[in-house]
Amino acid sequence: MPETEAPQGYWGADVATLGDRIAAAREAAGITEKQFARRLGVKTRTLLDWEEDRSEPRANRLATIAGMLGVSVMWLLTGQGDGLAEPGSDTARPFVRVQAELVEMRGAVQALQ
């Protein structure tokens, strides 16, 4: 029987997406979509496309996003490294738990399709 890897937790690449992590980190920083887009020098629609996984930022923009949000580029890409606390931990904020529920619901909907 093949050996399976242990689950990576909520922020793992197999559960959350780059867009999920960008949105969660932005919300944790208390920055609106419009404010963050303005600070990045992009249109709000561009930021929404990144957060909704319709497109991805280029490497230089990804580094800027990570720096502005206080997380590592590796965490944004894979969920590993310096980032937000996992939902359910003592340091997790309530909106992060809601984000986790939304990711679970998205997975359930995709499984039904």
Side-chain angles (χ1 to χ4, degrees), residues 40 57-73 76:
L40 285 170
R58 287 190 263 163
N60 62 332
R61 194 71 76 179
L62 192 60
T64 302
I65 291 168
M68 290 175 73
L69 297 176
V71 298
S72 70
V73 172
L76 286 174

Side-chain angles (χ1 to χ4, degrees), residues 1-73:
M1 185 170 209
E3 207 174 293
T4 59
E5 291 184 21
Q8 295 181 11
Y10 170 72
W11 298 121
D14 58 335
V15 180
T17 65
L18 170 63
D20 293 332
R21 289 186 285 271
I22 291 172
R26 177 187 53 74
E27 290 172 4
I31 305 170
T32 68
E33 294 155 338
K34 187 174 181 178
Q35 291 169 334
F36 194 51
R38 185 178 306 136
R39 290 179 189 176
L40 285 170
V42 300
K43 294 180 180 181
T44 304
R45 181 75 251 162
T46 300
L47 176 62
L48 291 173
D49 286 346
W50 295 341
E51 291 186 353
E52 295 169 2
D53 296 305
R54 290 189 193 122
S55 64
E56 295 180 352
R58 287 190 263 163
N60 62 332
R61 194 71 76 179
L62 192 60
T64 302
I65 291 168
M68 290 175 73
L69 297 176
V71 298
S72 70
V73 172

Side-chain angles (χ1 to χ4, degrees), residues 73-88:
V73 172
M74 184 60 69
W75 181 82
L76 286 174
L77 293 171
T78 68
Q80 298 176 348
D82 294 333
L84 300 181
E86 186 153 336

